[in-house]
Amino acid sequence: LEWRQEGDIQVGTYRMSVGDASLLQAFVSYAGISHHQWWVADPQKRLNPRYAVHQIFDEDLELLRRMLMKPETDKPYVFENTVSTLLNLLGFSVSNYGRIPKLQKGPDIIAISPAGHVGVVECTVGLLDENDKLAKLVQRAKLIRDRLNGAGYAFLQLQAVIVTPLSREEVAANLETAGKYDIAVVCREDLEEMLDQTNLPPNADRLFEETKRLVPNVGQGSLFTGDRLK
């Protein structure tokens, strides 16, 4: 290590060539004991090809972030479209039925993971049960579950999900109802974590499993358990 003094702190630096690597996982250990580990990414490269394409139109996800976190309340369809785009960036195959006039009796979004597991997604820019959204989501998820079972796909998992730009604290009044019907609640905090994960290789199957932890009274209130990419 090359050491230098910065005020009361000693800073040690070690340099090595990593070639054309896109991602580096670094470990710091002393006397055989690991003290820290970190991921460092090359800002000019992307581990997610979907994000690389999206950057042509939205370099730093600023547009996507703004439309997710501060949607126009009189244009809920924009929020739906933005949630669809985010799910696509995270590796899901996405169908936005909510924007097709003759199919609007279905859920807003169907998101299917590479393993075939199905997310039935309803979006709201307000409270969770606005316009009976929770009841409609339960009914639609049941219809889809029955159809999958009848078609020979009972082995596939299905998860009902409702997405809101509000915080978990703001929608606390509806969480008990969502938990009663096994509905995962994705709030502002979770959307922020999902945006962070677009830097990583898409892993929709892992995200599907983690989303189950967002069913109220079941999970720990956090979408991701692994380390984030910095």
Side-chain angles (χ1 to χ4, degrees):
L1 293 174
E2 296 178 1
W3 294 95
R4 70 178 187 276
Q5 192 76 26
E6 291 188 1
D8 296 331
I9 300 174
Q10 279 194 319
V11 178
T13 304
Y14 177 74
R15 299 180 183 275
M16 64 176 291
S17 173
V18 295
D20 196 34
S22 300
L23 181 68
L24 175 69
Q25 186 179 20
F27 297 87
V28 177
S29 62
Y30 179 76
I33 299 175
S34 179
H35 292 273
H36 191 56
Q37 71 89 19
W38 204 249
W39 292 93
V40 183
D42 184 336
Q44 301 303 316
K45 298 178 182 177
R46 292 296 169 205
L47 302 174
N48 183 349
R50 300 183 186 211
Y51 183 21
V53 173
H54 181 84
Q55 279 191 296
I56 299 172
F57 320 104
D58 183 17
E59 177 67 25
D60 298 315
L61 293 182
E62 287 306 313
L63 290 175
L64 198 67
R65 187 180 302 275
R66 185 167 69 247
M67 290 188 289
L68 283 172
M69 302 303 169
K70 298 180 179 179
E72 298 179 55
T73 55
D74 61 337
K75 296 179 180 178
Y77 62 88
V78 175
F79 183 66
E80 290 177 25
N81 291 339
T82 309
V83 171
S84 294
T85 300
L86 177 60
L87 291 172
N88 176 70
L89 290 177
L90 292 167
F92 287 93
S93 296
V94 182
S95 297
N96 191 348
Y97 288 100
R99 294 298 91 221
I100 304 174
K102 293 186 178 181
L103 298 178
Q104 286 181 345
K105 290 185 178 180
D108 291 336
I109 300 167
I110 295 291
I112 301 178
S113 76
H117 302 311
V118 180
V120 183
V121 183
E122 197 73 28
C123 299
T124 175
V125 294
L127 297 175
L128 303 185
D129 213 15
E130 225 170 62
N131 300 319
D132 294 323
K133 279 187 174 289
L134 293 178
K136 292 175 182 176
L137 179 55
V138 170
Q139 179 192 34
R140 291 161 179 170
K142 176 67 166 56
L143 289 172
I144 294 169
R145 178 75 273 172
D146 290 346
R147 180 54 59 94
L148 285 173
N149 292 350
Y153 294 101
F155 61 91
L156 293 178
Q157 298 180 53
L158 181 144
Q159 180 62 56
V161 182
I162 190 161
V163 183
T164 175
L166 300 179
S167 69
R168 195 162 300 275
E169 184 177 0
E170 290 176 291
V171 299
N174 296 141
L175 291 179
E176 183 178 352
T177 302
K180 179 180 178 181
Y181 293 104
D182 195 35
I183 297 173
V185 180
V186 175
C187 300
R188 171 187 295 271
E189 305 92 318
D190 312 303
L191 290 172
E192 290 174 346
E193 293 190 10
M194 291 167 75
L195 283 166
D196 288 343
Q197 293 297 310
T198 58
N199 282 314
L200 295 172
N203 192 340
D205 286 306
R206 173 176 173 255
L207 177 57
F208 183 91
E209 290 299 322
E210 293 288 350
T211 300
K212 295 177 184 178
R213 301 178 66 250
L214 296 181
V215 176
N217 302 321
V218 173
Q220 301 301 314
S222 178
L223 188 57
F224 294 95
T225 57
D227 297 311
R228 297 187 194 176
L229 178 67
K230 299 295 183 183

